[in-house]
Amino acid sequence: MSLNKKSVDDINVAGKRVLVRCDFNVPLKGGEITDETRIVAALPTINKLIEDGGKVILCSHLGKVKNGPNEGESLAPVAKRLSEKLGKEVNFVSDYNVTGEAATKAVEEMKEGDVVLLQNTRFRGSEETKNGEQFSKELADLADVYVCDAFGSSHRAHASVEGVTKCITAKGGENAVGYLMQKEIEFLGNAVENPVRPFVAILGGAKVADKLNVISNLLEKCDTLIIGGGMAYTFLKAKGHEIGNSLVDDSKLDYCKEMMEKAEKLGKKLLLPVDSVTISEFPNPIDAPVEVETYGVEDMPADREGCDIGPKTAELYADAVKSAKTVVWNGPMGVFENPTLAEGTIAVAKALAETDATTIIGGGDSAAAVNQLGFADKMSHISTGGGASLEFLEGKELPGVVAADDK
């Protein structure tokens, strides 16, 4: 799937004010950034705009911001880290109003190649709401050109993602996508629309409900669909297996039966666990030591809970990956946050690391798992967007992509 959208290579930004929507939604612990992946991913686009003489104004959200603006969700730590990475001062506008007088003044004083970072866009309640027109207009007033490089937010029709583009267009400006967006769409798009076969898709995570349309869409595109994680137990129950106290969505049993029938009808392989690593009660905290017992799916006791795929399943899944030419993976195989229950996820990550296939990790927990387990550099592409990559794999159009100008 080629991205027929204007990119940063198609626009002239010399002397212009360029508003760039980034995804700086990084994890923080005590005010310190614990994973800078998303900051690093934004650097190529920012550096390109600086080199081309743009006045670069960055904006992003961070966290959920449920209780109004607060220092715990300020972008101040991001400004500090960005200054180090870019090797130049990033002027951080700490004003909770985001686009107020302080921002206007900072932008007015910019020279070519300067970088300003605005405060967390979600500090303005209207960022996510339907009445975000005023905020969209204020953002657009700061700029001549808009660049969206926030793939992780591109599935949201928010003021700083979609609304602002209409205001930029209205004043004769251009809307483009950054290098990160381009890369995401090319990898995910090609994997789904034009994969080198055999194409294996691996879906994990807790709930079937989160991945209803993804399962259906991928069954039509891939050759083998592998199901792991908590969602596998709804499939196993639909097949008539005892699943004990394992996670289940009883309202989706018929759906799982339909999907198994669909796979058969289309001649696709749908692989489910053949054994499970089980626990008697959930660890608290989640990474606490825990006693486990492994059972085949035929003989799971009624008082146990499946929390990871077993060794036979791990072998089965690894074998399916070995012959693949394209692999997309979204969602861990078990409760990977616990070292004892991470073996299945590690086995799948290892199988992907050892194959010469194009391997695409679909953001969220799978990206976290691959990073934590040290396999990141062995993957072809790790998506920066969890929800966005899922919606993309569903075949949905993403507002942040659609809003960019066509070439």
Side-chain angles (χ1 to χ4, degrees):
M1 174 178 170
S2 69
L3 177 67
N4 192 33
K5 295 288 181 183
K6 278 187 185 171
S7 83
V8 286
D9 289 326
D10 303 312
I11 55 176
N12 174 17
V13 299
K16 291 181 183 169
R17 301 168 302 161
V18 191
L19 180 69
V20 188
R21 176 54 158 97
C22 299
D23 182 6
F24 293 144
N25 187 21
V26 293
L28 293 172
K29 200 169 186 177
E32 292 295 319
I33 296 166
T34 57
D35 181 351
E36 59 179 32
T37 307
R38 286 177 165 167
I39 293 175
V40 172
L43 295 176
T45 295
I46 298 169
N47 279 319
K48 161 76 174 162
L49 296 169
I50 291 169
E51 283 159 22
D52 287 356
K55 299 171 181 179
V56 186
I57 307 147
L58 308 173
C59 69
S60 173
H61 77 284
L62 194 155
K64 302 264 191 249
V65 191
K66 289 202 166 34
N67 305 312
N70 65 89
E71 277 309 294
E73 289 171 306
S74 165
L75 283 172
V78 173
K80 186 169 169 256
R81 187 65 58 91
L82 260 178
S83 297
E84 291 163 10
K85 294 280 176 198
L86 293 169
K88 68 185 300 165
E89 185 61 34
V90 171
N91 182 9
F92 177 54
V93 181
S94 58
D95 180 10
Y96 286 176
N97 188 45
V98 188
T99 51
E101 278 177 38
T104 308
K105 187 171 183 295
V107 171
E108 274 171 5
E109 290 169 358
M110 291 179 85
K111 296 182 177 67
E112 290 186 10
D114 282 356
V115 182
V116 162
L117 173 63
L118 304 179
Q119 184 56 280
N120 189 340
T121 53
R122 291 204 181 156
F123 283 2
R124 281 285 289 266
S126 50
E127 155 77 330
E128 303 165 77
T129 56
K130 294 280 181 258
N131 60 357
E133 283 113 357
Q134 181 58 31
F135 186 36
S136 300
K137 185 183 175 308
E138 287 173 26
L139 284 166
D141 283 347
L142 294 173
D144 307 302
V145 180
Y146 173 78
V147 172
C148 187
D149 209 24
F151 182 74
S153 301
S154 62
H155 59 313
R156 311 257 187 234
H158 288 169
S160 65
V161 175
E162 185 200 44
V164 63
T165 62
K166 295 169 183 160
C167 303
I168 290 283
T169 301
K171 60 194 249 182
E174 294 177 286
N175 298 292
V177 295
Y179 290 136
L180 177 62
M181 285 278 279
Q182 228 177 338
K183 190 177 169 208
E184 293 273 12
I185 306 291
E186 278 165 15
F187 267 101
L188 288 164
N190 283 331
V192 178
E193 300 304 330
N194 191 22
V196 182
R197 297 185 182 278
F199 172 27
V200 176
I202 307 168
L203 291 178
K207 299 177 193 147
V208 176
D210 293 346
K211 299 199 167 84
L212 292 179
N213 299 327
V214 184
I215 294 167
S216 186
N217 192 42
L218 283 178
L219 268 178
E220 289 166 21
K221 315 274 188 188
C222 69
D223 302 296
T224 301
L225 179 61
I226 293 174
I227 305 276
M231 62 191 278
Y233 295 101
T234 304
F235 276 90
L236 291 171
K237 186 171 180 179
K239 277 189 87 171
H241 292 299
E242 168 66 62
I243 59 162
N245 296 324
S246 307
L247 202 62
V248 67
D249 184 345
D250 286 318
S251 69
K252 298 291 179 281
L253 291 171
D254 287 342
Y255 173 83
C256 290
K257 286 176 190 164
E258 271 171 47
M259 289 303 108
M260 291 188 275
E261 284 161 20
K262 180 173 180 170
E264 205 170 326
K265 205 163 105 185
L266 293 172
K268 306 296 176 78
K269 270 190 201 160
L270 195 155
L271 299 182
L272 293 169
V274 293
D275 59 349
S276 270
V277 175
T278 70
I279 59 175
S280 59
E281 60 183 293
F282 207 79
N284 184 17
I286 199 164
D287 56 356
V290 63
E291 297 281 328
V292 298
E293 289 171 13
T294 302
Y295 292 93
V297 290
E298 308 291 341
D299 35 58
M300 162 94 84
D303 63 346
R304 306 282 298 176
E305 179 181 355
C307 278
D308 191 15
I309 56 171
K312 286 181 181 161
T313 306
E315 204 174 314
L316 174 74
Y317 291 2
D319 277 347
V321 165
K322 272 177 195 156
S323 57
K325 289 282 177 250
T326 306
V327 187
V328 171
W329 177 21
N330 187 292
M333 297 293 100
V335 185
F336 80 98
E337 298 90 343
N338 187 301
T340 314
L341 303 170
E343 295 299 319
T345 301
I346 291 170
V348 168
K350 197 165 179 298
L352 263 67
E354 287 169 1
T355 177
D356 59 1
T358 298
T359 49
I360 298 153
I361 313 301
D365 282 344
S366 2
V370 167
N371 280 321
Q372 275 174 33
L373 302 169
F375 291 107
D377 61 338
K378 301 280 195 299
M379 305 301 163
S380 310
H381 179 65
I382 299 176
S383 177
T384 54
S389 57
L390 263 185
E391 290 198 11
F392 201 87
L393 295 173
E394 270 180 46
K396 280 188 183 174
E397 287 196 322
L398 308 180
V401 178
V402 176
D405 298 342
D406 293 332
K407 278 191 183 178

